[in-house]
Amino acid sequence: MKGKYSNRTLKKLENAASIVICTGAGMSAESGIATFRDADGLWSRFRPEDLASEPGFRRDPELVQSWYQSRQRQLRSTQPNAGHVAIAELEARTERFLLVTQNVDDLHEKAGSRNIIHLHGTLAEDRCIDCSTRPTTSLADCAVLPHRCTKCDGYIRPGVVWFGEMLPEAAMENAAAALDQCDVLLSVGTSGLVYPAAALPGLARARGAYTVEVNIEPTALGDEMDDRILGSAATVLPELLSTSILHN
Ligand code: BV8
Ligand code: ZN
């Protein structure tokens, strides 16, 4: 295994006092959650604007609610993979660590990660699109759609950030602050097409961080990084981040 990863990357990881890991949909692929842009991805069946945007939601609330309902229900029987676990274990032994995810699933939490920023919200916090009231029944538990607010009869939406919506208040600020002084940034399982999330690795590099991409295929984001590791999250991360490889 030793020869599999560049010594420079191993050294950087071994000596890093501060690490930021950015994850995308590829992180959850081996847990059975479809990515957005791979051949069988979520977007291959729908256009993002039609589902993951407020105009798309208002055009067809029931279609969008059913899409999120099925994604929420899927999470109930979905487990984190070895990549999620490796990230949580690394966090436990790193002085300063931040996980910045574009994913709206709860697999990093299920694997034990603590210091997480969900740049695009999560599937766990439905709310009324008009009065923001949190419903007592989630979309996943709603027997008959459309699911409406008991207070104002507005439609219930998922607590995710849609295209054209601002990210959560402090999300980018906190992520950028962590990048300011991180020694190593790992970008895992993202095509790097969605902004402002896709700008984070470049920010880190500009501030002196050593940046590494882990992906099953090369991406434009990875072209700008110090190292690129071709492989899957659930295979590479347990090896790359294992104490055996980093401390001998
Ligand atoms: C905003 C939540 C300010 C919902 C999501 C033109 C140019 C630049 C920007 C824009 C533009 N026009 C509009 C914009 C802004 C827009 C944007 O970036 N659009 C893109 C499409 C060009 N961004 C926004 O609107 C953001 N807000 O900018 O606010 C503003 C306000 C008002 C008006 C204007 C601007 C909000 C974006 C958030 C959208 N919400 N998700 C939900 O999940 O339902 S996006 C969603 O898609 C994800 O959260 C994630 O961000 C993105 C998916 O990307 P990835 O995670 O990278 O997944 P993908 O499938 O693409 O790639 C998977 C990768 O994994 C692949 O590389 C694959 O090879 C790899 N992989 C697969 N398996 C594995 C693997 N790797 C490792 N191991 C494996 N096993
Ligand atoms: Zn309401």
Side-chain angles (χ1 to χ4, degrees):
M1 183 134 51
K2 200 63 180 154
K4 192 172 171 185
Y5 302 109
S6 98
N7 282 332
R8 191 161 174 239
T9 293
L10 295 177
K11 267 276 159 269
K12 288 286 184 183
L13 277 168
E14 183 185 356
N15 301 328
S18 167
I19 296 177
V20 173
I21 297 189
C22 296
T23 61
M27 186 72 230
S28 302
E30 287 155 287
S31 295
I33 295 187
T35 64
F36 288 84
R37 289 173 186 80
D38 290 334
D40 62 344
L42 295 166
W43 300 138
S44 63
R45 296 190 289 284
F46 306 101
R47 281 170 4 104
E49 304 71 40
D50 293 345
L51 290 182
S53 72
E54 184 169 338
F57 179 77
R58 291 200 183 273
R59 245 193 320 274
D60 191 341
E62 196 164 328
L63 169 70
V64 179
Q65 284 186 342
S66 67
W67 185 47
Y68 284 95
Q69 179 178 68
S70 64
R71 290 171 67 189
Q72 284 182 1
R73 286 177 176 171
Q74 180 191 20
L75 276 192
R76 291 179 168 170
S77 56
T78 305
Q79 293 310 317
N81 59 56
H84 293 102
V85 173
I87 289 176
E89 287 169 354
L90 178 69
E91 174 179 9
R93 53 177 211 270
T94 305
E95 214 178 305
R96 286 193 307 279
F97 183 92
L98 178 66
L99 173 57
V100 182
T101 187
Q102 298 171 73
N103 298 340
V104 294
D105 63 50
D106 59 354
L107 297 181
H108 283 305
E109 287 83 352
K110 280 180 180 169
S113 285
R114 292 278 167 275
N115 200 6
I116 310 176
I117 292 179
H118 278 275
L119 287 178
H120 297 156
T122 79
L123 288 171
E125 290 149 13
D126 297 342
R127 66 174 188 272
C128 169
I129 193 156
D130 294 327
C131 72
S132 295
T133 301
R134 298 288 307 276
T136 45
T137 308
S138 68
L139 284 166
D141 291 332
C142 179
V144 179
L145 295 179
H147 190 11
R148 287 176 174 275
C149 172
T150 48
K151 267 213 184 129
C152 77
D153 206 32
Y155 288 108
I156 299 300
R157 63 161 288 171
V160 300
V161 178
W162 279 331
F163 288 102
E165 294 187 325
M166 301 301 279
L167 273 58
E169 195 52 31
M172 281 302 285
E173 289 70 21
N174 293 344
L179 294 180
D180 231 358
Q181 30 100 24
C182 87
D183 303 314
V184 174
L185 177 139
L186 286 188
S187 171
V188 184
T190 179
S191 58
L193 298 174
V194 174
Y195 285 80
L200 293 176
L203 262 179
R205 191 156 154 67
R207 293 174 178 159
Y210 183 80
T211 53
V212 183
E213 173 175 73
V214 176
N215 198 307
I216 53 169
E217 63 183 8
T219 74
L221 199 61
D223 293 342
E224 310 295 315
M225 295 195 192
D226 296 295
D227 190 11
R228 153 179 284 138
I229 300 171
L230 288 180
S232 82
T235 305
V236 168
L237 294 179
E239 293 174 351
L240 181 68
L241 305 179
S242 67
T243 44
S244 57
I245 204 168
L246 292 184
H247 295 301
N248 68 9

